[in-house]
Amino acid sequence: AIAHADVLAGTVGLDMGRAGWTAAGDNYLGRVTKARILEAVREAKGEAAAEQIAGLKKAEMVTAAEDLLSGTGWLPDPLRTPPLPEGDAPEIELLDEADNTSEANPDSGEAQSAEDGGEPAMGESETSGEDDPVAGEAVLQTAAE
């Protein structure tokens, strides 16, 4: 499921950083370990910044990390969109009406059930007459009833 989500996110160009998500105490930093907070600061700002906050208590570290991570675009792993591998890039081919070589006529209501000329997927339907429009005096009679 995660692999499919990654492909979908890559296909639509999902970027949580551009969408406005930032690491804060209430949505991420306050819920992870001090080691993970230091790892986040190290990734975004370098070893020196991580060492500056390493000796702080958790609440103070969260506040300091919020300030350090602000504006960096840093995202935790689950929110990062991995790039699509070249082989998985979606191929979209636009067809002109002149290029349409399908045997089925889209206006006919019929489609082939198999590419080798199988039976039509939908058969001809007979009208029952029940849905025919009502006209003239029949309308008035129906309305009066």
Side-chain angles (χ1 to χ4, degrees), residues 20-118:
W21 191 92
T22 57
D26 61 343
N27 69 3
Y28 181 75
L29 297 170
R31 301 169 189 256
V32 296
T33 64
K34 289 173 62 173
R36 183 63 191 118
I37 294 170
L38 292 173
E39 184 180 331
V41 170
R42 192 174 295 114
E43 285 179 17
K45 297 295 255 180
E47 187 64 38
E51 287 178 13
Q52 286 178 341
I53 66 170
L56 300 176
K57 293 186 179 214
K58 172 98 181 234
E60 296 165 343
M61 184 183 285
V62 167
T63 303
E66 281 180 336
D67 293 339
L68 288 168
L69 294 174
S70 178
T72 64
W74 179 87
L75 295 170
D77 287 335
L79 298 182
R80 295 177 187 174
T81 302
L84 286 175
E86 290 299 319
D88 289 345
E91 293 181 23
I92 300 173
E93 181 180 342
L94 300 176
L95 297 176
D96 228 351
E97 281 188 42
D99 293 340
N100 190 356
T101 58
S102 172
E103 293 179 17
N105 180 356
D107 296 328
S108 72
E110 288 188 14
Q112 295 295 320
S113 61
E115 289 195 25
D116 60 0

